[in-house]
Amino acid sequence: MLALGLGRGEEAIETLLPAARRWHESSCREPGGVAFLPDLVEVLAQVGEPEEVEFWLGRFRAAVEQTKRQRPLAALARCDGILAGPDAFPEPRERPLAILES
């Protein structure tokens, strides 16, 4: 995700969104297969697309809650931390690490 790291949000979206759509249109609901989805949520939040954030985060949350596995739960907590904003520090930022350490 070089584009995301370099702050090229639109380029990152162009790369990630087609893969997210393919996952959504498939019968697969395995959150491990869409490890990139938290990156998509992050970049959509950065560029100011709240409806898209809500849509993709909702799909990811549903898949994660079905499996309840550690890494997807931590990725979901990362998304929640990103959306909580800087004033919510430190709990939402520390939660993903706490999940992985449990």
Side-chain angles (χ1 to χ4, degrees):
M1 280 310 323
L2 183 58
L4 179 60
L6 293 173
R8 296 188 213 150
E10 295 300 326
E11 185 179 330
I13 291 169
E14 288 176 15
T15 301
L16 296 172
L17 198 52
R21 285 181 180 140
R22 280 191 300 276
W23 173 72
H24 177 63
E25 293 168 358
S26 77
S27 61
C28 176
R29 290 296 167 253
E30 170 56 47
V34 287
F36 63 87
L37 214 50
D39 294 327
L40 177 61
V41 168
E42 178 180 352
V43 72
L44 288 168
Q46 286 176 358
V47 301
E49 294 287 344
E51 296 86 16
E52 288 286 314
V53 168
E54 185 178 323
F55 178 83
W56 292 110
L57 185 55
R59 297 320 178 266
F60 187 62
R61 185 178 308 281
V64 169
E65 289 175 352
Q66 286 180 349
T67 65
K68 303 225 184 286
R69 287 196 318 274
Q70 189 178 33
R71 285 189 186 269
L73 283 167
L76 181 59
R78 173 184 159 226
C79 291
D80 290 337
I82 289 166
L83 297 178
D87 294 335
F89 190 78
E91 195 280 326
R93 306 272 192 248
E94 294 173 349
R95 190 162 185 270
L97 290 176
I99 291 170
L100 290 173
E101 291 173 345
S102 63

